[in-house]
Amino acid sequence: MIRANKRRIGGWLPSNPEVLRKWVANLLAKPVAEPSDYVQPIQDLQNLVASTFSLNASTQAMFTEAYIYDPNDPTGAPALTSWPQFLGVLNNIMTTAPEFIVDSHGDAQGLVGFPINAVLDWPMGTTAGYSVFSSDLFNRQLQKVLQYWGQFLTTEASRYVLAYGTPDTDPPSIAWLSPQAKQQIVAVACQPSNNPDCKNYTFEDIFQVPDPYDPVYLGFTSWDQFFVREFQPGIRPLGDTVLVSACESAPLQYNTGVKLSDQFWLKGQPYSLENMLNFDPLTSQFDGGSVYQAFLSALSYHRWHSPVDGVIKQAFVVNGAYYLENMAEGVNSPDPDPSAPNASQPFITSVATRAVIFIEANDPGIGLMAFVAVGMAEVSSSEITVNVGDTVSRGDQLGMFHFGGSTHCLVFRPGVSLSFQVPVTNQPNLDATNVAVNANLATVG
């Protein structure tokens, strides 16, 4: 795996370890409510664990295992030591929105988009953690907790971070709609642009805003509305190849000869198509085919667009796991991933919550293909906005991520010969840069 540096790819957490350490330490130091005052989904999760022997033992064991491995978390902050302590921290997170962090010099460091992930990095990589986060019983209740938080992020109460920061804390935060934060968002949007004038654009030049005359919130009514903001018309022109980029994303890898069923949990993390596509009857057509995978940036664009002209043949959301890490990247491995699940991206295509859309491409060189939108962490909510039978053109919207880390796959049948117009490798590359949505991705033949 190509990972010369183990930074927080995609910018979902600050890459500066000291900044992140201070933020985590502040999170753990906040007073917590009495368990009887937790939000209802967390109380229900607490009751489920207490009444299920295997979960009761494993939830505590994952924190014990992690503490034995390292009394500090990957940031260097003192680690959580118990399941009850985690629940108190989790309850605090339920009424907060992601912060945009800067260092002591005012230089932007990114957002804390994965607060839950930040405190689970080592526990999720333990043997007990694998047992907990692979439990469907546990995941379905955890899903309700994440949905509760996701609902808060759609309310007006969540938009405070758009207009206000905390300049007196260490590390300080700034408003998302401050000039400094908008400048960094513009820089990310310009990364894949071929327009030399892009660096001179404003945030409002690049993104649609509900009310450009609103001096505080630009008309955004919630954090979620800001997160799923759209590009201005013409900012992402449609390429002229038969296959265009479905997401604003950085190529991870391209694999051929992919099996219907494979041991995706092993160190090499091979794709397993039956698992990825949830054993849909159409899956058998892809045996021996290929998979292109790319990951999304926190500061970028989170809607998905059709990579081909064609017809929607099937579309559904798979309720999968959260915070499940490949064991070969966990604390018992020679080289544990301190930014999990970054190094487990191929693995999570088979286990995480994901949206699956089959498209019958008009071009016979492609034919039936699949788009898979995979939630990596936190809310991981995927909304499909097309229906079976819809005719789509390249660049038409398919859906969107409503917050949380994300990666996606394009799946092709055997015999589809692709010539990529962007750099791709046959092993995970965590240092790739964004390809613009709708840009030329590959030709056929």
Side-chain angles (χ1 to χ4, degrees):
M1 180 173 291
I2 304 172
R3 53 177 184 187
N5 63 74
K6 294 183 178 180
R7 57 189 169 83
R8 302 274 177 174
I9 65 166
W12 294 96
L13 285 166
S15 57
N16 185 322
E18 178 62 13
V19 169
L20 185 56
R21 183 195 67 76
K22 290 179 179 179
W23 185 88
V24 171
N26 291 342
L27 177 66
L28 300 188
K30 290 180 180 179
V32 299
E34 291 295 323
S36 59
D37 294 328
Y38 290 166
V39 300
Q40 192 59 51
I42 293 181
Q43 289 192 43
D44 293 342
L45 179 63
Q46 180 178 237
N47 293 337
L48 170 69
V49 168
S51 62
T52 308
F53 177 79
S54 59
L55 289 177
N56 195 23
S58 297
T59 49
Q60 181 53 51
M62 67 179 177
F63 290 103
T64 302
E65 278 188 66
Y67 189 83
I68 291 172
Y69 170 74
D70 190 341
N72 296 323
D73 69 20
T75 73
L80 290 172
T81 58
S82 72
W83 171 248
Q85 185 188 13
F86 169 71
L87 289 179
V89 172
L90 183 62
N91 189 71
N92 280 346
I93 291 170
M94 293 296 101
T95 52
T96 63
E99 298 174 285
F100 195 103
I101 302 298
V102 294
D103 63 17
S104 58
H105 303 291
D107 295 326
Q109 297 296 308
L111 79 160
V112 180
F114 286 178
I116 305 172
N117 206 118
V119 297
L120 286 177
D121 259 343
W122 288 150
M124 66 194 283
T126 64
T127 302
Y130 190 91
S131 176
V132 170
F133 295 113
S134 62
S135 165
D136 188 61
L137 187 65
F138 182 88
N139 276 295
R140 297 292 63 80
Q141 188 56 52
L142 181 60
Q143 182 181 41
K144 295 176 183 178
V145 173
L146 298 176
Q147 287 172 342
Y148 183 97
W149 189 32
Q151 179 60 37
F152 169 77
L153 295 176
T154 68
T155 67
E156 193 170 283
S158 70
R159 69 176 184 170
Y160 68 95
V161 291
L162 302 184
Y164 306 104
T166 54
D168 297 328
T169 60
D170 186 15
S173 70
I174 58 175
W176 279 92
L177 294 178
S178 66
Q180 191 176 1
K182 289 196 290 186
Q183 183 179 26
Q184 182 165 336
I185 295 171
V186 167
V188 171
C190 289
Q191 184 185 72
S193 177
N194 293 320
N195 184 350
D197 295 326
C198 185
K199 64 182 180 180
N200 298 320
Y201 286 176
T202 66
F203 177 88
E204 292 84 351
D205 290 333
I206 294 177
F207 294 101
Q208 298 180 41
V209 299
D211 182 3
Y213 300 105
D214 176 357
V216 181
Y217 297 105
L218 293 179
F220 290 110
T221 59
S222 69
W223 160 261
D224 181 75
Q225 188 184 26
F226 170 77
F227 184 77
V228 298
R229 62 192 178 274
E230 297 183 72
F231 281 122
Q232 292 282 14
I235 288 295
R236 288 296 183 260
L238 187 64
D240 56 11
T241 56
V242 67
L243 184 71
V244 297
S245 178
C247 297
E248 189 97 351
S249 53
L252 182 75
Q253 66 177 3
Y254 174 64
N255 282 184
T256 58
V258 179
K259 297 179 181 179
L260 273 183
S261 180
D262 213 335
Q263 295 173 310
F264 59 87
W265 56 89
L266 297 182
K267 184 176 181 179
Q269 301 183 45
Y271 294 114
S272 181
L273 294 172
E274 287 182 328
N275 298 90
M276 181 192 296
L277 302 176
N278 204 41
F279 296 88
D280 188 272
L282 295 174
T283 305
S284 60
Q285 299 186 42
F286 294 88
D287 189 13
S290 56
V291 175
Y292 165 81
Q293 185 172 3
F295 56 91
L296 283 73
S297 163
L299 299 183
S300 192
Y301 177 78
H302 304 283
R303 294 173 183 252
W304 334 315
H305 294 254
S306 182
V308 295
D309 299 328
V311 177
I312 305 298
K313 305 301 288 186
Q314 185 63 282
F316 53 87
V317 173
V318 181
N319 288 322
Y322 301 91
Y323 307 104
L324 186 60
E325 179 182 4
N326 185 277
M327 285 295 289
E329 298 292 342
V331 300
N332 296 314
S333 70
D335 187 24
D337 180 12
S339 304
N342 283 347
S344 297
Q345 287 190 61
F347 165 76
I348 64 174
T349 64
S350 289
V351 299
T353 295
R354 56 202 180 276
V356 179
I357 302 174
F358 290 93
I359 309 172
E360 183 71 44
N362 293 344
D363 191 299
I366 295 178
L368 185 67
M369 64 162 294
F371 168 85
V372 184
V374 185
M376 283 177 62
E378 308 308 86
V379 177
S380 299
S381 177
S382 300
E383 178 189 3
I384 297 173
T385 58
V386 291
N387 298 302
V388 174
D390 286 354
T391 297
V392 292
S393 299
R394 291 171 306 133
D396 286 352
Q397 182 176 291
L398 297 177
M400 68 196 80
F401 289 110
H402 286 277
F403 194 54
S406 43
T407 184
H408 81 285
C409 295
L410 303 180
V411 186
F412 304 94
R413 296 179 304 163
V416 175
S417 177
L418 299 175
S419 296
F420 280 91
Q421 309 298 295
V422 300
V424 294
T425 64
N426 63 359
Q427 58 179 317
N429 179 9
L430 301 182
D431 288 315
T433 55
N434 273 353
V435 174
V437 66
N438 296 337
N440 289 340
L441 186 64
T443 59
V444 176

